[in-house]
Amino acid sequence: MKRFAVVLGCASAALLFSAGTASAHVTAKVIGESATQGGYTKITFRVPNEDETAGTVKLELRLPQDTPITSLRTKPVPGWKAEVTKTKLAQPITVHGREITEAVSTVTWTAESGTRIGPGEFGEFEVSGGPMPETDQLVIPAIQTYDNEKVVAWDAPPTDGDEPERPAPVVKLAPKGEGDDHHAATPASSPTTPAAAESTEDTTARWLGGAGLAVGALGLGIGAGATLRARRMTRTEA
């Protein structure tokens, strides 16, 4: 019984560790509205700081050029400077009857002096615009830079199997006619509640953490019961 309790304790510790690392990557979410092909929407990028000693001071998003977005605006973030860069398209596209020859290629946030996302913290950066391309999903690689000059590229495309080590942020897009098809950019000041902003990864991590605590408590209870029974048996024999 003692050995079983030890095994349960180790398993719970491993589960808690995995819960803490499950959501530790840059993610993209559409919160409180739809994301429809051909429509306009707001996308929130959540950036956790993974380094225990350094802070995040720069985030660069690289927009796909084969499925371009022609217009994006950034929501102001105190202490951060945002820059949207456009690049000429290899082949012009037509949007609402108008020929478009360039699209957004990068969006970059750079921290001002004294500002950073510190250890144990996360930041959120928002963009609003469109039209969203006619594709099932929008893959947006993100480059995270720390103040110790470490650079982490979250650029691995999604796969049908296990999640890659450093997955790129992905936004799922519904076909036209499903959900609201907005033709005006969502105001950058639209309020977002903390409950709505919580990502699926964070929810999963919390569930796993709770399960790990329950398993650990069960293991401790079994171990304590086994110890008491062993002591009673020893006293009886004596």
Side-chain angles (χ1 to χ4, degrees), residues 136-225:
D136 294 337
Q137 59 184 13
L138 190 61
V139 181
I140 307 176
I143 311 300
Q144 183 178 14
T145 302
Y146 290 84
D147 53 12
N148 63 355
E149 298 185 356
K150 181 175 73 173
V151 178
V152 179
W154 303 96
D155 57 0
T159 63
D160 295 332
D162 295 335
E163 183 181 70
E165 181 180 359
R166 294 179 178 174
V170 176
V171 177
K172 300 291 185 180
L173 300 176
K176 290 183 178 180
E178 294 185 12
D180 296 329
D181 187 4
H182 299 290
H183 292 286
T186 303
S189 59
S190 297
T192 302
T193 62
E198 184 176 26
S199 67
T200 303
E201 290 82 359
D202 288 343
T203 302
T204 302
R206 293 182 181 182
W207 183 90
L208 289 174
L213 290 174
V215 172
L218 177 61
L220 290 175
I222 292 175

Side-chain angles (χ1 to χ4, degrees), residues 73-94:
R73 297 182 181 182
T74 60
K75 181 177 181 178
V77 180
W80 294 78
K81 179 182 178 181
E83 181 180 5
V84 178
T85 302
K86 288 189 174 184
T87 300
K88 187 174 182 179
L89 294 173
Q91 295 291 335
I93 61 176
T94 301

Side-chain angles (χ1 to χ4, degrees), residues 11-176:
S12 65
L15 185 59
L16 284 172
F17 177 78
S18 63
T21 58
S23 61
H25 53 72
V26 177
T27 56
K29 298 292 180 182
V30 176
I31 301 170
E33 58 186 81
S34 63
T36 306
Q37 298 173 18
Y40 290 75
T41 192
K42 181 180 70 173
I43 305 172
T44 300
F45 293 87
R46 178 170 293 182
V47 184
N49 195 90
E50 292 189 313
D51 198 293
E52 296 182 356
T53 59
T56 299
V57 293
K58 183 179 179 181
L59 175 68
E60 178 184 344
L61 305 179
R62 297 180 178 176
L63 281 298
Q65 297 300 286
D66 54 342
T67 52
I69 298 178
T70 59
S71 177
L72 281 179
R73 297 182 181 182
T74 60
K75 181 177 181 178
V77 180
W80 294 78
K81 179 182 178 181
E83 181 180 5
V84 178
T85 302
K86 288 189 174 184
T87 300
K88 187 174 182 179
L89 294 173
Q91 295 291 335
I93 61 176
T94 301
V95 177
H96 301 314
R98 185 166 61 97
E99 185 178 78
I100 303 297
T101 59
E102 62 180 12
V104 178
S105 56
T106 62
V107 180
T108 305
W109 288 269
T110 305
E112 299 174 354
S113 178
T115 300
R116 70 174 188 169
I117 304 173
E121 300 177 342
F122 73 92
E124 290 187 336
F125 303 87
E126 297 176 332
V127 296
S128 177
M132 293 294 112
E134 295 185 5
T135 181
D136 294 337
Q137 59 184 13
L138 190 61
V139 181
I140 307 176
I143 311 300
Q144 183 178 14
T145 302
Y146 290 84
D147 53 12
N148 63 355
E149 298 185 356
K150 181 175 73 173
V151 178
V152 179
W154 303 96
D155 57 0
T159 63
D160 295 332
D162 295 335
E163 183 181 70
E165 181 180 359
R166 294 179 178 174
V170 176
V171 177
K172 300 291 185 180
L173 300 176
K176 290 183 178 180

